[in-house]
Coordinates of all heavy atoms in Angstrom, one line a residue:
A298 N -22.0 -8.7 -44.9 CA -21.3 -8.2 -46.1 C -21.3 -6.7 -46.3 O -20.4 -6.2 -46.9 CB -21.8 -8.9 -47.3
T299 N -22.3 -6.1 -45.7 CA -22.4 -4.6 -45.9 C -21.3 -3.9 -45.0 O -21.1 -2.7 -45.2 CB -23.8 -4.0 -45.5 OG1 -24.0 -4.3 -44.1 CG2 -24.8 -4.7 -46.4
G300 N -20.8 -4.5 -44.0 CA -19.8 -3.9 -43.1 C -18.4 -4.1 -43.7 O -17.8 -5.1 -43.6
S301 N -17.9 -3.0 -44.3 CA -16.6 -3.0 -45.0 C -15.4 -2.8 -44.1 O -14.3 -2.9 -44.5 CB -16.6 -2.1 -46.2 OG -16.8 -0.7 -45.7
S302 N -15.6 -2.4 -42.8 CA -14.5 -2.1 -41.9 C -14.9 -2.6 -40.5 O -16.1 -2.9 -40.2 CB -14.3 -0.6 -41.8 OG -15.4 0.1 -41.2
L303 N -14.0 -2.7 -39.6 CA -14.2 -3.2 -38.3 C -15.2 -2.2 -37.6 O -16.1 -2.7 -36.9 CB -12.9 -3.2 -37.5 CG -13.0 -3.6 -36.0 CD1 -13.6 -5.0 -35.9 CD2 -11.6 -3.6 -35.4
E304 N -15.0 -0.9 -37.8 CA -15.9 0.1 -37.1 C -17.3 -0.1 -37.6 O -18.3 -0.1 -36.8 CB -15.4 1.5 -37.4 CG -14.1 1.8 -36.7 CD -12.9 1.2 -37.4 OE1 -13.0 0.7 -38.6 OE2 -11.8 1.1 -36.8
A305 N -17.5 -0.3 -38.9 CA -18.8 -0.4 -39.5 C -19.5 -1.8 -39.0 O -20.7 -1.8 -38.8 CB -18.8 -0.4 -41.0
C306 N -18.7 -2.8 -38.9 CA -19.1 -4.0 -38.4 C -19.6 -3.9 -36.9 O -20.6 -4.5 -36.6 CB -18.0 -5.1 -38.5 SG -18.6 -6.8 -38.5
D307 N -18.9 -3.2 -36.1 CA -19.3 -3.0 -34.8 C -20.6 -2.3 -34.7 O -21.5 -2.6 -33.9 CB -18.2 -2.3 -34.0 CG -17.0 -3.1 -33.7 OD1 -17.1 -4.4 -33.7 OD2 -15.9 -2.6 -33.4
E308 N -20.7 -1.2 -35.5 CA -22.0 -0.5 -35.5 C -23.2 -1.3 -36.0 O -24.2 -1.1 -35.5 CB -21.8 0.8 -36.5 CG -20.8 1.8 -36.0 CD -20.7 3.0 -36.9 OE1 -21.4 3.0 -37.9 OE2 -19.9 3.9 -36.7
A309 N -22.9 -2.3 -36.8 CA -24.0 -3.1 -37.3 C -24.3 -4.3 -36.3 O -25.2 -5.1 -36.6 CB -23.7 -3.7 -38.6
D310 N -23.5 -4.3 -35.3 CA -23.6 -5.4 -34.2 C -23.4 -6.7 -34.8 O -24.1 -7.7 -34.5 CB -24.9 -5.2 -33.5 CG -24.9 -6.1 -32.2 OD1 -23.8 -6.2 -31.6 OD2 -26.0 -6.5 -31.8
E311 N -22.4 -6.8 -35.7 CA -22.1 -8.1 -36.4 C -20.7 -8.6 -35.9 O -19.9 -7.7 -35.5 CB -22.2 -8.0 -37.9 CG -23.5 -7.7 -38.4 CD -24.5 -8.8 -38.3 OE1 -24.0 -10.0 -38.1 OE2 -25.7 -8.6 -38.5
D312 N -20.3 -9.8 -36.2 CA -19.0 -10.4 -35.8 C -18.0 -10.0 -36.9 O -18.2 -10.1 -38.1 CB -19.0 -11.9 -35.7 CG -19.8 -12.2 -34.4 OD1 -19.9 -11.5 -33.4 OD2 -20.4 -13.4 -34.4
W313 N -16.8 -9.6 -36.4 CA -15.7 -9.4 -37.3 C -14.9 -10.7 -37.4 O -14.4 -11.1 -36.4 CB -14.8 -8.2 -36.8 CG -13.6 -7.9 -37.7 CD1 -12.3 -8.1 -37.4 CD2 -13.7 -7.1 -39.0 NE1 -11.6 -7.6 -38.5 CE2 -12.4 -7.0 -39.4 CE3 -14.8 -6.6 -39.7 CZ2 -12.1 -6.4 -40.6 CZ3 -14.4 -6.0 -40.9 CH2 -13.1 -5.9 -41.4
L314 N -14.8 -11.2 -38.6 CA -14.1 -12.5 -38.7 C -12.7 -12.4 -39.3 O -12.5 -12.0 -40.4 CB -15.0 -13.4 -39.6 CG -16.5 -13.6 -39.2 CD1 -17.3 -14.4 -40.3 CD2 -16.5 -14.2 -37.9
G315 N -11.7 -12.6 -38.4 CA -10.4 -12.4 -38.8 C -9.6 -11.7 -37.7 O -10.1 -11.6 -36.6
H316 N -8.4 -11.1 -38.1 CA -7.6 -10.5 -37.1 C -7.7 -9.0 -37.1 O -8.0 -8.4 -38.1 CB -6.2 -10.9 -37.3 CG -5.9 -12.4 -37.0 ND1 -6.0 -12.9 -35.7 CD2 -5.5 -13.3 -37.8 CE1 -5.7 -14.2 -35.8 NE2 -5.4 -14.5 -37.0
E317 N -7.5 -8.4 -35.9 CA -7.5 -6.9 -35.8 C -6.1 -6.3 -35.8 O -5.8 -5.2 -35.9 CB -8.2 -6.5 -34.5 CG -9.7 -6.9 -34.6 CD -10.4 -6.6 -33.3 OE1 -10.0 -5.6 -32.6 OE2 -11.5 -7.2 -33.0
K318 N -5.0 -7.3 -35.6 CA -3.6 -6.9 -35.6 C -2.8 -7.8 -36.5 O -3.4 -8.8 -37.0 CB -3.1 -6.8 -34.1 CG -3.8 -5.7 -33.3 CD -3.1 -5.7 -31.9 CE -3.7 -4.7 -31.0 NZ -3.1 -4.5 -29.7
V319 N -1.5 -7.5 -36.5 CA -0.7 -8.3 -37.4 C -0.6 -9.8 -37.2 O -0.6 -10.2 -36.0 CB 0.8 -7.6 -37.4 CG1 1.8 -8.5 -38.2 CG2 0.7 -6.2 -37.9
V320 N -0.6 -10.6 -38.2 CA -0.4 -12.0 -38.1 C 1.0 -12.4 -37.7 O 2.0 -11.9 -38.3 CB -0.9 -12.7 -39.4 CG1 -0.5 -14.2 -39.3 CG2 -2.3 -12.5 -39.6
T321 N 1.2 -13.2 -36.7 CA 2.5 -13.5 -36.1 C 2.8 -15.0 -36.0 O 4.0 -15.3 -35.8 CB 2.6 -12.9 -34.7 OG1 1.5 -13.4 -33.9 CG2 2.6 -11.4 -34.7
A322 N 1.8 -15.8 -36.4 CA 2.1 -17.3 -36.4 C 1.1 -18.0 -37.3 O 0.0 -17.5 -37.5 CB 1.9 -17.8 -34.9
L323 N 1.7 -19.0 -38.0 CA 0.9 -19.8 -39.0 C 1.1 -21.3 -38.9 O 2.3 -21.7 -38.5 CB 1.3 -19.3 -40.4 CG 1.1 -17.9 -40.8 CD1 1.9 -17.6 -42.1 CD2 -0.4 -17.6 -41.0
A324 N 0.1 -22.1 -39.1 CA 0.3 -23.5 -39.1 C -0.8 -24.1 -40.0 O -1.9 -23.9 -39.9 CB 0.2 -24.1 -37.7

Side-chain angles (χ1 to χ4, degrees):
T299 61
S301 59
S302 68
L303 176 59
E304 293 74 16
C306 198
D307 286 341
E308 290 179 3
D310 197 25
E311 297 287 347
D312 290 332
W313 183 253
L314 305 177
H316 293 296
E317 299 178 20
K318 294 185 179 180
V319 172
V320 171
T321 52
L323 297 165

